[in-house]
Amino acid sequence: MLVVDDDSLILQVMKLCLPAPDYHVITADSASKGLQLFAQHKPDAVLLDIQLPDQSGLAALHEFRELDRRVPVIMMTGHGTAETAIGAMSGGAFEYVTKPFEPDDILPVIDSALETSRMARKPAVLPSETQGDADDTSTDRVLGDCQAMVEVFRSIGRVAARDVAVLILGETGTGKEVVARAIYQHSNRRDQLFHAINCAAIPENLLESELFGHEKGAFTGADQRHVGKFEVCNGGTLFLDEIGDMSPMMQTKLLRVLQEKEFERVGGTKTIKSDVRIIAATNRDVEAAIVDNSFRSDLYYRLNEFTISLPPLRERGEDVKIMAEFFFARFAKTLGKEFVSIAPETMASLKLHSWPGNVRELQGVIKQTLLKASGPVIVPAFLPKGFIPQSDDGLTKLATMGTWQENLRNWATTLLEDGSHNIAAEIHDAVDREILPEILRATQGNVSAASSRLGMSRPTLRSRLKHLGLGSDVEKND
């Protein structure tokens, strides 16, 4: 974090507020020194005063932006200079804060700027690229070589350089953000800002202000003008995560911006133009949401200029092995643990797990396992509770998995030859018809216990039982 201010007290306070090792703060007491340090250290974000002895902070902002437009710059203003700082927002400032400020007020802004910088500048590397091995923590990898992921990589290549809206579909934890960043970093806007907003995490009234900004006095607590992300991100890329949770009113307002490329701040009358590329993502079944009128069909068609569907981890076969080996090697380095290999029994357990939390869950499990591990070979005893236990003949069980997988491939080939257009669902249903009653019998019909052993939520289990006509197997004792 680069802090540029001629007030030595501010520089000292920011060093105290941003302690090592989580932060590394460098300071400058003039614009010229700040620009020199910026070029030398390439900071993740800048905190810039608007009144400097050798140059206006507004002029310095322009020079910082010329050096690297992806680095967020937070402006600091004294009393009575807020309007000047707001003018700088249109020139690319990330946010502004008014002095004097409390640490609790500025730290969330700084952390947001640092996260924005990370997403814009930390490469999301595709398998076809040579950079970014497990030892390189400066990159995020989009991993996998199953057919569904190969199609994802092709889709990223097809759409990245084309200035169209992209809709990414996939369950929670499948890696939608990393795919969005890969699209951005391979696009023609990669030198401009990239902002991400989780639409599900922000209340509706605050989300409108976050996206479009508001005027002073627009609502209770609006004591100064706020510039929204559509204005700040002009020329760049905006990632709207969990778009399916956006309220109908917000959907309507977003649709207008996408159609007209203009908007007004909340409480304002001035029309503001904005050229922003939208990448949206959701874990919801959008087409089902359209049927039940919780999502606008016209917004869906506007966002759906190009769609990328991410498969859940449970449907990615050997990708579990690829990712497990990669993340064990990477996290072992960051956690200071020794890692050599994964025992076959451990890998069998990882492959048999249903992974309801997808790649995010896998990463969490691997970190827990490494922290528990007392040796360089990952054995089943190091895995968290809830994984399928492997008996002493685990190697034999692992060997028989090949026969089971071969039978499954033959079954899929037969369905393909029979002309089926719903192969995955047919196989999934057939497998569940065998295992769900068995698990329920083993748990005496206790749905809570059965869902825990299966690695799925109770509502999901009940939905599957109802879909398969097995509801009578459920006892009322959960």
Side-chain angles (χ1 to χ4, degrees), residues 197 199-200 204 207 211-212 240-255 284 294-295 299:
I197 295 179
C199 300
E204 179 180 339
L207 180 60
L211 290 175
F212 310 124
L240 300 178
D241 199 6
E242 304 305 348
I243 191 86
D245 293 327
M246 186 176 281
S247 71
M249 184 188 77
M250 282 302 302
Q251 291 177 35
T252 301
K253 294 185 176 183
L254 177 60
L255 177 63
R284 294 188 63 189
S294 61
F295 200 86
L299 176 59

Side-chain angles (χ1 to χ4, degrees), residues 117-128:
S117 179
R118 179 194 70 81
M119 289 189 292
R121 300 204 295 168
K122 186 174 183 178
V125 181
L126 302 179
S128 59

Side-chain angles (χ1 to χ4, degrees), residues 336-450:
K337 304 285 285 189
E338 185 181 3
F339 168 72
V340 174
S341 64
I342 307 171
E345 300 92 337
T346 308
M347 186 60 73
S349 287
L350 294 175
K351 288 181 177 179
L352 289 171
H353 190 62
S354 61
W355 300 111
N358 293 294
V359 180
R360 190 175 299 154
E361 181 188 2
L362 174 64
Q363 292 175 335
V365 165
I366 288 174
K367 288 180 180 178
Q368 293 178 51
T369 301
L370 283 168
L371 290 171
K372 187 179 178 182
S374 56
V377 178
I378 306 300
V379 298
F382 300 154
L383 291 171
K385 292 181 179 179
F387 278 78
I388 300 172
Q390 297 295 312
S391 62
D392 293 338
D393 64 345
L395 287 173
T396 303
K397 286 188 176 183
L398 183 67
T400 61
M401 286 179 65
T403 302
W404 178 80
Q405 290 173 330
E406 183 177 357
N407 291 337
L408 185 58
R409 284 195 295 270
N410 292 337
W411 185 9
T413 300
T414 300
L415 290 172
L416 184 65
E417 292 173 349
D418 289 343
S420 172
H421 291 279
N422 204 17
I423 294 175
E426 289 185 45
I427 293 176
H428 190 183
D429 288 354
V431 171
D432 277 359
R433 285 192 184 95
E434 297 298 323
I435 66 170
L436 295 187
E438 187 64 30
I439 301 299
L440 285 165
R441 280 192 290 271
T443 57
Q444 290 79 49
N446 188 308
V447 176
S448 294

Side-chain angles (χ1 to χ4, degrees), residues 89-137:
M89 298 291 286
S90 299
F94 178 80
E95 187 56 274
Y96 72 90
V97 292
T98 303
K99 294 191 288 187
F101 49 75
E102 295 293 331
D104 289 345
D105 295 329
I106 195 171
L107 288 179
V109 178
I110 289 174
D111 286 339
S112 177
L114 291 171
E115 176 63 10
T116 296
S117 179
R118 179 194 70 81
M119 289 189 292
R121 300 204 295 168
K122 186 174 183 178
V125 181
L126 302 179
S128 59
E129 299 169 286
T130 57
Q131 58 184 358
D133 57 28
D135 292 332
D136 181 9
T137 58

